[in-house]
Amino acid sequence: MKKANAALGLCFGFFLMCALSMGNRMYLLIAATIALAWGLAFASVRMAERSVKVENALSGFKVNRGEVVSMEISVSHQSLLPIAPVALRMRATSNTPAGTIHLTQLGRRRQRVVHKFAADHVGAMFPGVESYEVSDVFGFFKREHKPDMAGQELLVLPVPFDVEPLTFAAGDMGVETMRRAMEDPFSPSDFRAYQQGDPLKRIHWKMSARRREIIVRRFEEPALPDALVLMDTSPPHMTQDSQEAAAFLQDAVLETAASVVACQIRQDNPVRMPLVGDRPMEYSSRMGLPLLLEELARVTFNESESFERVLMMQLAELRKTGAVVIITTRLSSPLADMIVRMKRMGPNVRLYLVTFDAEEADVVPRVGRLQQAGVEVNYVTPQGG
């Protein structure tokens, strides 16, 4: 732009000087034409940039990972003078790289374009127009502006896959615990009159003698032991420095967590999952799977607190836990020690190790140690990367 304006200024000055020095009207006409073109170019950009409106609309606000998203972008202006096609600079997200869309219809005051992209990664993002550039038809002037909109949020949800159902501690699937609690004569929750079919061992003989009617003990039915899902939300461990590989690792962690919870819900078993980070919450299977998928899409892998400390905070809850699922991209020696400690406290422990390299030299002996302690180890290989 600066070079074009400098060249135009030199041409204008040359022809104006020739017209004045030689008294030639043709040179004066050329100089006037150059000045008029320059003035119209400046006026067209100024008029257009004050009235340009950029809008975008998504085909959906929630999509599953891997689906194609369509975005309709509309650009309009009220300038009476023609301008060059507006250039749209797109906002970079995990699914949409930064780029420029050039509208092709010269002179149209309103144009629409459909931008399609594949939602390859789980996350909450705001795809759309980051800025737009207005220029004249000669290319003398260019002005860049940001649209007056933040964009629409797009939630790319994780897609659960099939996993093996969880098992509780050996010899206790929850049913035995309930039966023992209901038959313990020293822990009734209430008393009521005898009903036909009540077992004789529930009769409270002393109270029945005092009230002169048969009274039976009533027991509160204990809840089944639940499953605890713990997900590592620290930056993923990688052997290669690639943002794309990190995104695929994060997708695999989120989808593994969603798969385990979905399997438990299908089995009608209670499951809970504490989420830490920017949106901390304690998820319970009573909240439903759709809510979990949305919350997982908003998880940011920027947790600075060590995952070992997160596991340690859950040790007090293991008394009422039948199974623990740990999902991580790293298996350090302190983390392996903590997992073994959780296993020794009673519940079954299953580890999902998300990695591109299952034969990493430092990890193999730690996996062997976990398996010797009775921990079930599963590998998850991310798709892509």
Side-chain angles (χ1 to χ4, degrees):
M1 183 182 67
K2 292 182 179 180
K3 292 182 179 180
N5 280 311
L8 185 67
L10 288 174
C11 291
F12 172 76
F14 173 76
F15 285 111
L16 181 60
M17 185 176 61
C18 290
L20 295 176
S21 61
M22 293 185 295
N24 191 320
R25 295 182 178 179
M26 181 59 67
Y27 289 149
L28 182 61
L29 179 61
I30 294 175
T33 302
I34 293 175
L36 179 62
W38 188 91
L40 290 176
F42 179 78
S44 65
V45 172
R46 293 294 293 173
M47 294 174 63
E49 68 177 347
R50 295 177 180 178
S51 61
V52 169
K53 291 184 178 180
V54 179
E55 300 173 343
N56 61 263
L58 295 169
S59 59
F61 303 113
K62 298 177 186 177
V63 298
N64 293 324
R65 187 173 78 91
E67 294 182 354
V68 176
V69 183
S70 296
M71 178 189 299
E72 184 179 276
I73 306 172
S74 174
V75 181
S76 62
H77 68 89
Q78 302 297 326
S79 175
L80 300 176
L81 299 175
I83 60 173
V86 177
L88 306 173
R89 302 188 188 280
M90 306 304 294
R91 184 180 296 114
T93 68
S94 59
N95 288 307
T96 56
T100 303
I101 299 177
H102 294 275
L103 303 181
T104 58
Q105 297 177 341
L106 180 65
R108 293 287 297 274
R109 294 187 181 180
R110 187 174 184 85
Q111 296 187 46
R112 287 187 176 89
V113 64
V114 177
H115 177 55
K116 294 184 178 181
F117 60 92
D120 292 328
H121 301 295
V122 178
M125 60 209 66
F126 291 86
V129 179
E130 180 72 20
S131 64
Y132 60 89
E133 187 180 79
V134 180
S135 61
D136 62 278
V137 294
F138 303 110
F140 297 146
F141 301 97
K142 293 181 181 179
R143 299 295 295 271
E144 186 173 350
H145 295 274
K146 292 185 178 293
D148 296 332
M149 60 179 184
Q152 297 170 315
E153 184 186 43
L154 174 65
L155 278 181
V156 181
L157 306 177
V159 180
F161 52 86
D162 292 333
V163 297
E164 290 293 327
L166 298 177
T167 57
F168 294 100
D172 188 0
M173 293 292 291
V175 178
E176 292 296 322
T177 302
M178 294 177 65
R179 184 180 63 82
R180 288 194 301 268
M182 293 178 66
E183 292 181 356
D184 184 3
F186 300 103
S187 60
S189 61
D190 200 359
F191 301 93
R192 60 171 175 81
Y194 175 83
Q195 296 178 0
Q196 187 175 0
D198 288 336
L200 295 178
K201 61 184 177 181
R202 291 192 182 182
I203 298 177
H204 195 296
W205 296 106
K206 292 184 179 180
M207 186 176 293
S208 299
R210 282 199 307 269
R211 296 189 179 183
R212 297 183 179 181
E213 62 174 332
I214 300 178
I215 301 298
V216 297
R217 300 179 180 90
R218 189 171 62 181
F219 299 89
E220 182 178 352
E221 188 172 299
L224 281 169
D226 59 6
L228 175 64
V229 181
L230 299 172
M231 181 178 64
D232 187 357
T233 57
S234 57
H237 169 70
M238 296 185 299
T239 57
Q240 50 182 320
D241 187 12
S242 168
Q243 292 185 351
E244 188 72 5
F248 280 112
L249 283 169
Q250 294 173 8
D251 294 338
V253 170
L254 296 172
E255 291 187 341
T256 302
S259 303
V260 172
V261 174
C263 180
Q264 285 296 102
I265 292 177
R266 287 195 300 269
Q267 299 288 328
D268 200 23
N269 291 331
V271 58
R272 58 190 177 89
M273 180 178 179
L275 296 175
V276 298
D278 298 336
R279 295 169 59 92
M281 68 171 294
E282 177 85 13
Y283 171 80
S284 170
S285 54
R286 297 188 301 271
M287 300 178 183
L289 185 61
L291 176 63
L292 175 66
L293 297 180
E294 292 182 17
E295 292 300 325
L296 289 177
R298 292 189 169 93
V299 169
T300 55
F301 286 79
N302 57 2
E303 181 62 31
S304 58
E305 189 174 19
S306 66
F307 190 46
E308 292 84 353
R309 181 173 175 80
V310 175
L311 298 185
M312 186 176 297
M313 294 171 60
Q314 297 295 326
L315 292 180
E317 302 292 330
L318 293 186
R319 295 179 180 272
K320 59 180 181 180
T321 301
V324 178
V325 177
I326 299 171
I327 306 167
T328 183
T329 61
R330 73 192 73 239
L331 185 58
S332 62
S333 182
L335 179 58
D337 294 340
M338 181 59 64
I339 295 175
V340 172
R341 180 179 175 184
M342 298 179 77
K343 172 61 180 174
R344 289 173 178 171
M345 294 184 68
N348 276 359
V349 179
R350 177 185 295 181
L351 170 67
Y352 285 99
L353 183 58
V354 181
T355 179
F356 289 109
D357 185 11
E359 301 299 327
E360 191 174 347
D362 294 339
V363 174
V364 172
R366 295 167 189 163
V367 170
R369 180 188 171 198
L370 292 179
Q371 291 174 333
Q372 289 179 356
V375 177
E376 180 185 351
V377 180
N378 294 273
Y379 290 98
V380 179
T381 304
Q383 299 178 356

